[in-house]
């Protein structure tokens, strides 16, 4: 288990998904040279994730409002939006492939753009019984995801902050 103090103090964790309750935890952050609304809009458009998020090959809206289905490395995940506060907070839980996870994103205005922080907690039998999710693998995935968001945000037309 991980220390809750490892997490950014402004992350809102749903019940059962704090770093201290997870089998895996990682975080990444970067400064994106674009307004918060621009980076947020790219991330919140879940159906376009397959175009730029590493490992995601499919995404579609789910049967209920604020739900999605995502194919990640060939595994189907059901995604439930937990936090959607444009342009500052985006959080979602995913269930599938023997894991449950929560990923939180914070967007904060910075002097030269937006500071973006992402953290996730993963739980489940696939995490505890498989060495596939070494501590390095999810960290690299978060860094790649954030790098792609940064790259796309910096070339996208600026969105007005709300």
């Amino acid at each position: 288990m991980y220390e809750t103090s490892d997490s950014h103090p402004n992350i809102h964790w749903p019940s059962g998904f704090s770093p201290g309750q997870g089998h895996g935890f990682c975080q990444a952050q970067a400064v994106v040279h674009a307004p918060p609304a621009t980076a947020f809009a790219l991330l919140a458009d879940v159906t376009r994730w397959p175009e730029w998020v590493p490992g995601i090959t499919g995404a579609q809206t789910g049967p209920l409002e604020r739900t999605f289905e995502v194919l990640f490395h060939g595994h189907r995940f059901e995604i439930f939006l937990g936090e959607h506060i444009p342009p500052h907070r985006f959080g979602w839980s995913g269930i599938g492939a023997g894991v449950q996870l929560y990923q939180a994103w914070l967007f904060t205005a910075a002097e030269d753009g937006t500071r973006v922080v992402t953290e996730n907690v993963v739980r489940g039998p696939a995490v505890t019984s498989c060495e596939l999710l070494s501590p390095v693998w999810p960290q690299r995935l978060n860094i790649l995801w954030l790098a792609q968001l940064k790259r796309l945000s910096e070339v996208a037309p600026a969105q007005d902050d709300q």
Side-chain angles (χ1 to χ4, degrees):
M1 300 298 161
Y2 298 84
E3 293 293 321
T4 304
S5 63
D6 294 337
S7 178
H8 189 283
N10 293 329
I11 296 284
H12 297 160
W13 295 108
S15 180
F17 281 94
S18 73
Q21 297 168 308
H23 299 115
F25 169 75
C26 63
Q27 61 178 242
Q29 57 183 302
V31 172
V32 173
H33 302 289
T38 300
F40 184 94
L42 282 166
L43 183 65
D45 190 355
V46 177
T47 59
R48 294 195 62 199
W49 284 1
E51 298 173 18
W52 63 274
V53 177
I56 293 183
T57 56
Q60 62 186 21
T61 57
L64 302 173
E65 186 178 349
R66 298 174 56 114
T67 66
F68 298 87
E69 293 178 4
V70 173
L71 286 177
F72 177 70
H73 289 285
H75 299 283
R76 182 177 161 272
F77 283 82
E78 294 180 51
I79 304 294
F80 305 91
L81 291 183
E83 215 173 11
H84 186 265
I85 303 170
H88 304 292
R89 296 178 173 281
F90 189 73
W92 55 271
S93 56
I95 300 169
V99 299
Q100 299 173 331
L101 62 106
Y102 191 83
Q103 184 168 37
W105 294 79
L106 295 176
F107 301 83
T108 309
E111 184 176 318
D112 47 354
T114 304
R115 175 159 304 284
V116 181
V117 176
T118 183
E119 296 186 2
N120 61 7
V121 169
V122 183
R123 307 178 346 174
V127 178
T128 58
S129 66
C130 247
E131 291 301 321
L132 178 63
L133 284 179
S134 72
V136 174
W137 186 82
Q139 184 66 28
R140 283 187 183 154
L141 182 61
N142 269 2
I143 290 169
L144 286 172
W145 193 336
L146 194 53
Q148 285 286 80
L149 180 65
K150 176 179 170 56
R151 181 183 66 79
L152 292 171
S153 296
E154 291 175 355
V155 299
Q159 302 281 316
D160 291 331
D161 283 337
Q162 300 172 14

